[in-house]
Amino acid sequence: MTLLCQPCHSIHLTLVLMTIFSCSVAVTSVFIVSPHHHQARGIVDNKIKLMAKAGFGNRAGGGFGSSGKKNKKKTKSSITTTNDKVRSVSGFSGSGTKPLRVAANTFDSIHKKFGSKCISDLYVRAPANDEQLCWFVGKIARKLENTEGENVPTEVEAVLSQKRLILEYAKQLRPQNLGGPYAKGLEIWIGPGDSEMDVVQNKVSLKKVNGSTADISDMFSVKDVGYNPEIYVGEEIKDGGLRVNRDADGHPIKPVFEINQ
């Protein structure tokens, strides 16, 4: 295996694993791994602006948040209800950018206060495309005390309350594998916070997130959770970033391996 190091587009180091040998067969893959994988906020903001111009938040225009029907009215009560528990989008062109920016800023403030212990890594799988491949799509953070809600949010609640935002963002991050005909039945899997390297080395299993917003406690507040989206730059836009294979239960398919530095 060859390990190359180069400056990351954020303030962290990017590790590129070029060749992985499994059994007697050499499998060439490219993985982008960072100890934190947190993107510089300026990069995230610029990405969000570009997505807004592309209609992020409008499914009819290739984005998300709409059933495709024009001039669909939303009642004030429905908007108020979802704002407390769910980070949602309205369905109009560009509507996904504001909740994404709020989620990213909230992530930053929570992570700054609580550190890595409040983080979980996020992966999305599209069984219609590949039943084993899981794409890294970012991280969630949750407050561990002094919450806006009456209870400390669980890891699952942090995902379910932002599920739609996460999945729709993932479809635009990697449309070749997660969008279009592969978008139906997308799954979210979580791993320990900042565990990308251990995941790549097959040391860590992933856990599938099941449930819906109906499973979120009435004492939960979406203000207590955030989402830091993965950003692709350069060749990642074409070739994709970090992705790993896991079986139906989230366990590594191949043996653990070490990196020779």
Side-chain angles (χ1 to χ4, degrees):
M1 180 186 310
T2 302
L3 177 64
L4 302 178
C5 297
Q6 64 185 32
C8 182
H9 50 271
S10 67
I11 61 175
H12 304 291
L13 182 66
T14 296
L15 304 178
V16 184
L17 308 183
M18 297 301 295
T19 307
I20 297 176
F21 291 91
S22 176
C23 300
S24 59
V25 180
V27 181
T28 301
S29 303
V30 177
F31 298 97
I32 308 300
V33 185
S34 167
H36 295 287
H37 236 72
H38 303 326
Q39 309 299 333
R41 182 54 55 219
I43 294 177
V44 174
D45 288 341
N46 289 335
K47 177 70 173 180
I48 292 174
K49 290 178 181 178
L50 291 174
M51 295 176 74
K53 293 181 179 179
F56 185 61
N58 180 14
R59 182 176 298 165
F64 71 89
S66 171
S67 61
K69 296 180 181 180
K70 297 182 178 180
N71 301 322
K72 183 178 180 180
K73 296 182 179 180
K74 295 182 179 294
T75 64
K76 182 177 181 180
S77 60
S78 65
I79 295 175
T80 301
T81 300
T82 56
N83 278 349
D84 293 336
K85 296 174 60 176
V86 179
R87 188 159 279 131
S88 60
V89 295
S90 68
F92 297 100
S93 181
S95 64
T97 59
K98 182 177 179 180
L100 186 61
R101 183 179 293 108
V102 171
N105 289 335
T106 303
F107 176 97
D108 283 349
S109 64
I110 295 175
H111 175 252
K112 183 177 181 180
K113 182 175 182 179
F114 297 102
S116 296
K117 61 184 178 181
C118 72
I119 291 175
S120 299
D121 290 355
L122 294 174
Y123 296 80
V124 170
R125 171 187 284 173
N129 174 253
D130 191 311
E131 294 183 349
Q132 297 181 337
L133 194 60
C134 300
W135 292 85
F136 177 80
V137 299
K139 299 170 181 284
I140 55 168
R142 59 193 179 95
K143 288 184 179 180
L144 303 180
E145 61 183 13
N146 299 323
T147 59
E148 297 289 335
E150 296 182 36
N151 283 349
V152 172
T154 66
E155 190 177 44
V156 172
E157 286 178 326
V159 175
L160 294 180
S161 62
Q162 304 176 98
K163 182 177 180 179
R164 188 180 182 195
L165 183 65
I166 293 167
L167 290 181
E168 299 297 347
Y169 179 82
K171 287 190 284 187
Q172 293 204 11
L173 178 68
R174 188 62 185 173
Q176 303 95 317
N177 301 88
L178 304 176
Y182 308 123
K184 185 175 182 180
L186 292 178
E187 303 170 349
I188 297 180
W189 294 72
I190 53 178
D194 300 336
S195 64
E196 295 96 319
M197 184 59 72
D198 286 340
V199 170
V200 169
Q201 293 178 266
N202 298 323
K203 296 179 179 180
V204 175
S205 295
L206 302 179
K207 180 174 65 175
K208 185 178 179 180
V209 177
N210 295 306
S212 66
T213 54
D215 299 310
I216 300 175
S217 169
D218 290 335
M219 293 178 283
F220 169 87
S221 172
V222 74
K223 296 178 181 178
D224 294 326
V225 300
Y227 169 52
N228 187 46
E230 168 70 325
I231 304 293
Y232 286 171
V233 296
E235 294 182 356
E236 291 178 285
I237 297 174
K238 175 184 177 182
D239 300 331
L242 170 61
R243 64 271 194 186
V244 296
N245 285 308
R246 291 294 185 269
D247 64 19
D249 296 317
H251 302 307
I253 297 173
K254 297 181 180 181
V256 172
F257 65 88
E258 298 296 334
I259 298 175
N260 298 321
Q261 300 189 28

